[in-house]
Amino acid sequence: MAADIHTQLQPIDHCGRPPDSLHLLIAEIPDLQRTCSQFRQCVGQQWHLAADSKRHKLVRQLCRMDTAISKLTSDLTSRSKRLPTAHDILADLREIEEEFGEVRYDKRSKSLCTTTEPITLEGLEFGRFTICFNLSTIASNCDENPLNVIALDPNPCAADDAVVHPHVSAGHLCLGDATAPLRKATTEHRLADAFQIVAAVLRTYSADSPFCAIENWNGRPCDDCGFIANEDTSFYCEPCDKNFCEDCFSRCRDCGESMCLSCLSSCEICGDRICEDCQSLCDGCGEVACTGCLENELCPSCLEDRENEEIENDDEEIEQESTEDPSDKSQEPTSRVFTTDSTVTSVQSDRLVETSIHA
Amino acid sequence: MRIMYINNFGGGFADHIEIEEGTTVSKLFAQKIPDGRPEDYLIRVNRLPASRDQILKEGDRITITPTKIEGAAA
């Protein structure tokens, strides 16, 4: 097995590509030559300002080249670093076996795998995990992820079946602080270290940035906002048969029944939540209101309008009464004539108008 | 005296270092990870679990790996 793995790990030089830093360096050369030529010309012509500008440009280009050279040197040095022998690989396999109890190599998928002990974090059991490294990917030294983590006894987060560990989603382990050391371990083909680093991440809960927080692991997603509410903060809405978080759930101010915000209306006057059974409509404007905000089945605004209307009507009646002098005999024939002769009534009315104008 | 030192923490480190004769595992640990507690790390010398007072020898390979490393979300 060790010999197979050793063969498999023989480096594929950066997926067959030369390092990016080499391209950067080569791309700078024509620009540098051009600037050099312009600088010489400026100096020869004694164009001092232009020569100064070209000198500054040369410095900037040389700085960029310096950075590219350093990167290229680092890339090539890491490639030439001594990689483990078959004997080292064998020692790694023994170390993995000793640490985890087993190690498996799948020739077909070119994967080296082991299994952790059952993982328990903050009292919650996540079961065992198989850690697999694809050796082809490690050998290619690409940015591609060689790691796959599989839950053997999955206890997925209630909100997402793909999340089987606070830091594992769909087989992808988000490494956090382990990113750099694992990258270094796989680049240098230190297999036992790589497995131990991954296991250390699986055995740790980072509350700052999980795919799903442990306190919400068995919670339910709010049907409204999607927040994963735990058992204490998840509420069931009977009318719509769904679960909601505490922010999307309230109670009717009148009857006290609890429902989601979609099943409750807001009183347009006081803003309180009311259920369909307790809501009333203003007889005047038709606005939804709670019973406390309606008086004589009117909202305050319509009630005020109606009162104003009544006052106006009263005023008009008073005004009308004041213009009608009870001592004016001319009225008497009107009422009498009204029932007998319409022509006479008309005449009497004209007289009334005149009387009013004169008054 | 030259040993292979591998630290699987922080940026990761794996290279040969010079240490004084008679340096113990705990002394090297204190030098390299002054704020760390040895019980929070898996320390192996030549791939075998090491005791704190084990004296390191020329050519030894010491590996220090945290037992807990904080992951993240994507």
Side-chain angles (χ1 to χ4, degrees):
Chain A
M1 191 200 289
D4 278 349
I5 292 170
H6 182 250
T7 307
Q8 188 58 53
L9 282 173
Q10 289 312 298
I12 303 164
D13 213 3
H14 281 245
C15 307
R17 289 183 281 109
D20 292 341
S21 43
L22 184 59
H23 291 301
L24 289 172
L25 188 61
I26 292 168
E28 287 288 344
I29 292 170
D31 276 353
L32 186 71
Q33 286 173 330
R34 198 175 310 118
T35 313
C36 243
S37 166
Q38 290 167 345
F39 179 57
R40 270 201 300 270
Q41 189 184 358
C42 292
V43 170
Q45 297 288 339
Q46 296 192 339
W47 297 336
H48 300 300
L49 278 174
D52 205 35
S53 164
K54 294 299 169 192
R55 189 173 55 80
H56 282 300
K57 191 175 177 185
L58 265 177
V59 170
R60 286 197 300 274
Q61 286 174 326
L62 287 169
C63 282
R64 282 202 296 273
M65 287 186 79
D66 188 37
T67 307
I69 289 168
S70 300
K71 176 103 176 49
L72 181 61
T73 309
S74 165
D75 280 359
L76 295 175
T77 306
S78 70
R79 286 178 193 209
S80 64
K81 208 160 193 172
R82 189 188 78 87
L83 290 173
T85 61
H87 179 77
D88 294 328
I89 300 285
L90 179 62
D92 260 356
L93 295 178
R94 284 181 176 150
E95 190 177 333
I96 297 164
E97 194 168 25
E98 188 199 325
E99 175 77 20
F100 296 96
E102 62 154 10
V103 60
R104 303 182 307 277
Y105 176 56
D106 183 350
K107 271 189 177 179
R108 202 177 50 174
S109 65
K110 299 179 175 61
S111 295
L112 189 66
C113 306
T114 192
T115 302
T116 67
E117 75 283 4
I119 303 283
T120 301
L121 300 172
E122 316 260 320
L124 196 62
E125 292 176 2
F126 296 98
R128 297 163 300 152
F129 289 87
T130 289
I131 304 168
C132 286
F133 280 103
N134 184 292
L135 301 184
S136 295
T137 309
I138 289 178
S140 70
N141 202 17
C142 289
D143 287 336
E144 199 181 327
N145 178 21
L147 173 66
N148 193 27
V149 176
I150 304 149
L152 293 183
D153 322 298
N155 171 19
C157 168
D160 186 349
D161 284 349
V163 179
V164 290
H165 179 283
H167 306 297
V168 178
S169 177
H172 172 76
L173 173 67
C174 204
L175 292 160
D177 290 346
T179 306
L182 183 64
R183 172 79 180 155
K184 198 158 179 63
T186 53
T187 305
E188 295 173 2
H189 301 180
R190 288 185 280 111
L191 301 173
D193 289 345
F195 280 105
Q196 282 162 8
I197 290 167
V198 172
V201 178
L202 289 172
R203 290 172 186 140
T204 310
Y205 174 55
S206 171
D208 292 337
S209 51
F211 284 114
C212 176
I214 282 184
E215 60 267 30
N216 297 328
W217 199 262
N218 292 318
R220 299 183 191 96
C222 171
D223 198 75
D224 194 353
C225 69
F227 177 77
I228 309 300
N230 62 33
E231 287 175 10
D232 295 335
T233 56
S234 178
F235 301 95
Y236 175 70
C237 175
E238 202 174 332
C240 62
D241 189 27
K242 287 171 184 167
N243 292 293
F244 295 88
C245 70
E246 56 190 339
D247 288 341
C248 297
F249 201 78
S250 189
R251 62 177 56 222
C252 171
R253 76 173 290 264
D254 283 356
C255 67
E257 193 167 341
S258 300
M259 295 176 194
C260 71
L261 298 187
S262 303
C263 291
L264 290 169
S265 301
S266 288
C267 169
E268 293 183 35
I269 295 147
C270 67
D272 282 354
R273 308 271 181 196
I274 36 173
C275 70
E276 199 176 353
D277 292 342
C278 295
Q279 72 185 26
S280 305
L281 299 178
C282 168
D283 267 358
C285 62
E287 279 191 343
V288 174
C290 63
T291 49
C293 288
L294 293 183
E295 195 179 326
N296 297 329
E297 298 183 345
L298 287 173
C299 68
S301 172
C302 289
L303 189 67
E304 192 182 336
D305 288 349
R306 182 164 291 185
E307 281 171 359
N308 289 339
E309 206 175 292
E310 281 174 5
I311 290 166
E312 278 175 23
N313 287 342
D314 288 349
D315 287 348
E316 276 177 22
E317 277 176 25
I318 292 164
E319 195 177 335
Q320 199 167 343
E321 281 171 12
S322 66
T323 56
E324 293 167 1
D325 187 353
S327 60
D328 190 350
K329 301 290 181 193
S330 62
Q331 293 230 11
E332 287 172 13
T334 309
S335 56
R336 282 198 299 270
V337 174
F338 184 78
T339 54
T340 54
D341 187 337
S342 61
T343 313
V344 177
T345 306
S346 162
V347 171
Q348 289 298 331
S349 296
D350 287 344
R351 281 180 59 202
L352 264 176
V353 172
E354 279 174 22
T355 311
S356 171
I357 291 166
H358 290 304
Chain B
M1 189 173 79
R2 196 169 154 85
I3 62 160
M4 179 69 171
Y5 168 61
I6 299 165
N7 180 4
N8 290 317
F9 191 54
F13 180 90
D15 215 336
H16 289 95
I17 58 166
E18 290 289 335
I19 59 166
E20 288 174 12
E21 293 278 347
T23 301
T24 60
V25 167
S26 59
K27 186 178 175 187
L28 181 72
F29 181 89
Q31 285 170 2
K32 297 297 179 187
I33 310 174
D35 299 329
R37 297 187 312 167
E39 56 268 35
D40 294 336
Y41 293 79
L42 178 67
I43 304 172
R44 286 175 178 261
V45 176
N46 301 326
R47 300 180 182 276
L48 297 171
S51 63
R52 298 177 67 165
D53 54 0
Q54 182 173 336
I55 295 170
L56 295 165
K57 301 189 298 293
E58 173 78 28
D60 273 352
R61 177 189 195 268
I62 181 166
T63 312
I64 300 177
T65 308
T67 53
K68 289 183 179 294
I69 305 176
E70 290 202 346

